[in-house]
Amino acid sequence: MLNRIIKRGAPKLPKADANEPPAVVVGHVSRAAAGCDTSSVPSIEALPLFRDVPAGERQSLFIRKLRLCAVVFDFSDMITLRCAREREVKRRNLAELIDFVQSSSGRLAEPVQEELVRTIAANIFRCLPPVAHENTGSEAAAADPEEENIFLDPAWPHLQLVYELLLRYVVSSDTDAKVAKRFIDHAFVLRVLDLFDSGDPREREYLKTILHRIYGKFMVHRPFIRKAISNIFYRFIFETERHSGIGELLEILGSIINGFALPMKEEHKLFLVRVLIPLHKTKPAGVYHHQLAYCTTQFVEKDCKLAVTVIRGLLKYWPVTNCQKELLFLGELEEVLETTQPSEFQQCMVPLFKQISRCLNSSHFQVQPVTNQVEGNINQDCLIWIYSFLYQSFDTSSTYTKVKDGQQVAERALYIWNNDHIVSLISQNRSIILPIIFEALENMQSHWNQAIHGLTANVRKMFQDMDGDLFEDCQQQYIERVASAKTLEEERELAWRHLEAVVAAKAAGEAIILVN
C-alpha cells in the first residue's frame, strides 16, 4: 500500500509579519530526496512548557509552538535518529497545545487564532494518496468498489493530534464564532470537505465530528455547507460513483435533517428528491445504505406527506438482478411504511404491492420442480447447484450462497406482515391489495423451502381472518384464470398440430406429383 502513496508537497503558508520569524515548513520532496536529511532547514528545538513561563508570555509561547508544529514530515521516508527526535518534539508540542486550548486558559487573541488555523491547514491540507479505485492498473480497474480497501496513513501520529487540536478549538467555549469565522471561512470548509475522500477511516471519523461541530457553531456557514455537500453527492451520483466518505457525510446530514424546522423549506424537499433518492441507484449503495435509509426515514418522520415521494423513488430505482440490494430496499421500505399515514399509503399502494408481488415471484429464488422428462435421478441439491451456476454472474459470492440470498428476498418480503402498523394499513385496503398479491401467494405454496411455506401460510391465514369472502373470491378468480390459461394453451397446441398436419399433407402431395 505504501508504494502507491504519492509524494505530497506541503501547502504554502501566508506571509508572516515582519517582526515575527517565518514559519518553518519541511517539504516532503526535499526530505525524501535527502533521506530525511534536515541540514538545509533550521533544527527543531524543544521549547519550554507553558507551566514554566509567566502567564503573560504564554500566548507568545503558543505562537512559537504553533510555528514549530507547522513543520510537515514525510512519514514514508527512511527514518534517521535526528528525524525521529524532531518528530517526537513536534508530537509533544501538539499534545501540549491541545491541553492549553482544552484547559480554557483564556481566550486566544486574534493573531494567535490566525496562526493556529494556519498551522492546522499546513498539516491537514495535502494531496491524498490514491485509493484502490483511483489506480489505473488493470487489477484496480476490475476491483469492486464495495470491497473495503482500508488505507492507514503513516502520518497519522501527527495528523490525529492536529485534528484533535482543531476540534478542541472549534468546540471551546472561549472561541468566539464571530471572530473565528474570519479564519474558518468558506475556503477552509471546502478543503475540509475535500479530505472526506481520504482512504483512512480514522481521518474520516475525525472530519465527520469536526464538520458537524463547525455546522453547529458557525450558523453563517450552514447554507454553504449544505450546498457544498450536495455538490459532492451530485458528482458522485452522476459522474464518478467513487468516493470514500459518502457514509460519513450522510451521518452528518442525518443529524442536520433531525434539526430541520417545520414547515420544511422547499430547499430541503428538493434535496430529498434530487440527492437522497438518486443515491439509491449507485453501484456501491450497499456501503452507505444504512446512513441513507436513516436520512430518508428522518424526512418522512418530519413530514409524513413525503412518504409517497420516498416510496415512489425506491420503486423507481428498485434493483433487478442484485439480491443483496433488494434486501436493503425491503428493509428501508418497511421503515418508511412504519411512519406512513393511511392517506399517503393509498396513493402508492398499487405500484408498491406490485413490486412486493414480484419479490415473492422473483426468479432469484424460484426452483422449478423435476418433471418426468428429466432423465436420471436429479435431486434438489443438484437443481440448486444448476440454478446457482446460471445466475453466478450476478454475484461474486459462492453459488450456494447466491441461492440462499435469493431465498431471503422472498422471506424478507413476507416479514413485512409481521409489522402491526403495516398490517393495519393493508387491512384497511385489503380489497385492492389482496387481488394484486394473491397469485404470488398461491405460487409460493409450491416453493421448495419449508420456511417460505410457513410464512406464506401465516399471510394467507391473516387475509382469511380479515375477509373470508374476499379471499374466496380471489381464490375462485385465480382458479378461473388458471383454467382459462390452460384452455388457451390447449387451443394453441391444437392449432399448431393442425398447422403441422396441413404442412405434412401438402409436402406428401408434392412428392406424389414429382413421382408421377
Side-chain angles (χ1 to χ4, degrees):
M1 179 67 72
L2 295 178
N3 293 332
R4 298 203 301 267
I5 298 177
I6 60 173
K7 302 299 181 182
R8 307 185 293 274
K12 294 182 179 179
L13 299 178
K15 294 182 179 178
D17 296 338
N19 298 328
E20 298 175 350
V24 180
V25 179
V26 179
H28 290 179
V29 178
S30 62
R31 292 180 68 88
C36 204
D37 180 15
T38 57
S39 58
S40 59
V41 297
S43 299
I44 296 179
E45 299 296 340
L47 295 173
L49 301 177
F50 284 113
R51 65 172 180 264
D52 297 336
V53 298
E57 299 178 8
R58 288 177 181 174
Q59 298 241 356
S60 175
L61 179 61
F62 192 90
I63 292 179
R64 292 171 61 194
K65 287 181 178 288
L66 285 173
R67 288 174 177 160
L68 183 148
C69 292
V71 176
V72 180
F73 293 93
D74 187 353
F75 279 74
S76 62
D77 288 338
M78 180 177 61
I79 191 169
T80 64
L81 182 61
R82 178 182 175 184
C83 188
R85 183 183 63 82
E86 291 177 345
R87 290 181 186 179
E88 179 60 21
V89 170
K90 177 178 177 179
R91 189 195 65 78
R92 288 200 303 267
N93 279 275
L94 284 170
E96 195 175 357
L97 290 172
I98 294 171
D99 292 338
F100 185 84
V101 174
Q102 191 174 2
S103 63
S104 299
S105 301
R107 181 168 296 182
L108 298 177
E110 290 188 26
V112 178
Q113 294 185 49
E114 183 179 6
E115 192 69 34
L116 172 63
V117 175
R118 187 183 305 168
T119 299
I120 291 171
N123 281 272
I124 66 174
F125 296 144
R126 65 206 189 280
C127 296
L128 296 174
V131 292
H133 61 68
E134 291 178 350
N135 199 317
T136 56
S138 58
E139 294 182 3
D144 189 347
E146 293 193 21
E147 293 182 1
E148 290 193 11
N149 297 288
I150 297 178
F151 164 76
L152 300 179
D153 198 318
W156 184 246
H158 284 180
L159 283 174
Q160 180 183 12
L161 295 173
V162 175
Y163 278 122
E164 187 67 24
L165 177 60
L166 175 58
L167 177 61
R168 295 305 168 189
Y169 169 67
V170 172
V171 302
S172 175
S173 58
D174 293 328
T175 301
D176 186 1
K178 294 181 180 179
V179 176
K181 71 180 182 181
R182 297 206 295 268
F183 315 121
I184 300 181
D185 54 7
H186 288 179
F188 186 91
V189 171
L190 277 180
R191 298 181 76 180
V192 168
L193 285 169
D194 288 339
L195 293 174
F196 272 88
D197 202 16
S198 170
D200 194 329
R202 302 169 300 180
E203 183 171 14
R204 297 198 304 270
E205 193 67 22
Y206 258 106
L207 288 166
K208 178 184 71 176
T209 305
I210 290 169
L211 185 63
H212 188 213
R213 296 294 186 176
I214 291 175
Y215 186 90
K217 186 153 193 153
F218 300 89
M219 297 185 65
V220 67
H221 291 339
R222 290 184 179 182
F224 177 81
I225 291 175
R226 291 198 300 268
K227 185 176 180 181
I229 293 177
S230 298
N231 291 336
I232 293 175
F233 286 146
Y234 287 142
R235 186 179 180 191
F236 173 75
I237 296 168
F238 301 109
E239 294 181 14
T240 64
E241 289 196 359
R242 308 286 190 181
H243 198 282
S244 300
I246 298 298
E248 286 77 9
L249 291 172
L250 286 172
E251 283 189 48
I252 297 172
L253 285 170
S255 60
I256 292 175
I257 295 167
N258 193 30
F260 282 165
L262 295 177
M264 196 173 294
K265 295 180 181 179
E266 192 65 26
E267 168 201 348
H268 304 327
K269 296 179 182 179
L270 288 176
F271 177 79
L272 171 66
V273 175
R274 296 178 179 178
V275 177
L276 293 184
I277 291 179
L279 274 172
H280 289 82
K281 74 174 184 176
T282 64
K283 185 177 179 181
V287 176
Y288 55 80
H289 186 268
H290 176 72
Q291 297 90 335
L292 178 59
Y294 178 77
C295 290
T296 55
T297 306
Q298 285 290 311
F299 267 102
V300 178
E301 290 179 356
K302 284 284 183 180
D303 187 352
C304 60
K305 294 181 180 179
L306 294 175
V308 179
T309 303
V310 172
I311 293 173
R312 290 188 180 276
L314 289 174
L315 296 177
K316 178 180 179 181
Y317 297 114
W318 198 275
V320 178
T321 61
N322 191 328
C323 292
Q324 294 292 343
K325 202 170 180 180
E326 274 193 285
L327 294 174
L328 296 174
F329 272 54
L330 286 168
E332 182 179 357
L333 184 63
E334 182 176 352
E335 292 181 8
V336 173
L337 288 174
E338 201 165 356
T339 57
T340 302
Q341 300 303 314
S343 57
E344 283 73 36
F345 180 77
Q346 292 174 357
Q347 298 179 42
C348 58
M349 62 183 178
V350 173
L352 170 61
F353 280 90
K354 284 182 178 180
Q355 181 58 57
I356 292 176
S357 178
R358 284 192 288 270
C359 288
L360 298 176
N361 284 321
S362 174
S363 59
H364 288 279
F365 59 80
Q366 288 287 357
V367 177
Q368 298 297 331
V370 182
T371 59
N372 295 332
Q373 286 78 9
V374 178
E375 296 183 359
N377 185 16
I378 304 180
N379 59 20
Q380 181 175 329
D381 291 338
C382 184
L383 284 176
I384 293 175
W385 185 89
I386 294 172
Y387 170 82
S388 305
F389 178 78
L390 293 175
Y391 283 91
Q392 65 182 353
S393 60
F394 296 128
D395 197 0
T396 57
S397 59
S398 63
T399 53
Y400 187 75
T401 302
K402 182 61 186 178
V403 175
K404 294 294 289 182
D405 291 344
Q407 171 197 332
Q408 290 174 9
V409 174
E411 287 181 346
R412 191 65 187 84
L414 290 170
Y415 282 149
I416 291 177
W417 275 267
N418 291 342
N419 190 299
D420 294 336
H421 178 72
I422 299 176
V423 169
S424 68
L425 294 174
I426 294 173
S427 178
Q428 296 171 25
N429 302 276
R430 57 185 178 273
S431 60
I432 298 175
I433 294 174
L434 183 56
I436 296 174
I437 66 169
F438 188 85
E439 184 174 353
L441 294 175
E442 287 292 319
N443 293 338
M444 295 298 289
Q445 294 188 91
S446 61
H447 197 278
W448 57 271
N449 186 272
Q450 293 300 321
I452 299 294
H453 288 174
L455 292 170
T456 305
N458 292 337
V459 174
R460 289 169 58 86
K461 186 177 184 304
M462 199 176 294
F463 277 111
Q464 285 178 325
D465 294 340
M466 289 179 189
D467 194 335
D469 295 336
L470 175 64
F471 189 87
E472 292 179 1
D473 291 343
C474 291
Q475 194 169 33
Q476 185 62 34
Q477 293 174 9
Y478 173 76
I479 294 173
E480 292 175 358
R481 285 198 302 271
V482 172
S484 176
K486 186 176 181 180
T487 302
L488 184 63
E489 181 65 25
E490 291 175 352
E491 292 176 355
R492 186 182 293 110
E493 185 68 22
L494 288 174
W496 275 107
R497 290 179 181 176
H498 177 71
L499 185 60
E500 290 172 356
V502 171
V503 172
K506 185 176 180 181
E510 291 177 353
I512 293 173
I513 294 173
L514 289 175
V515 170
N516 292 336

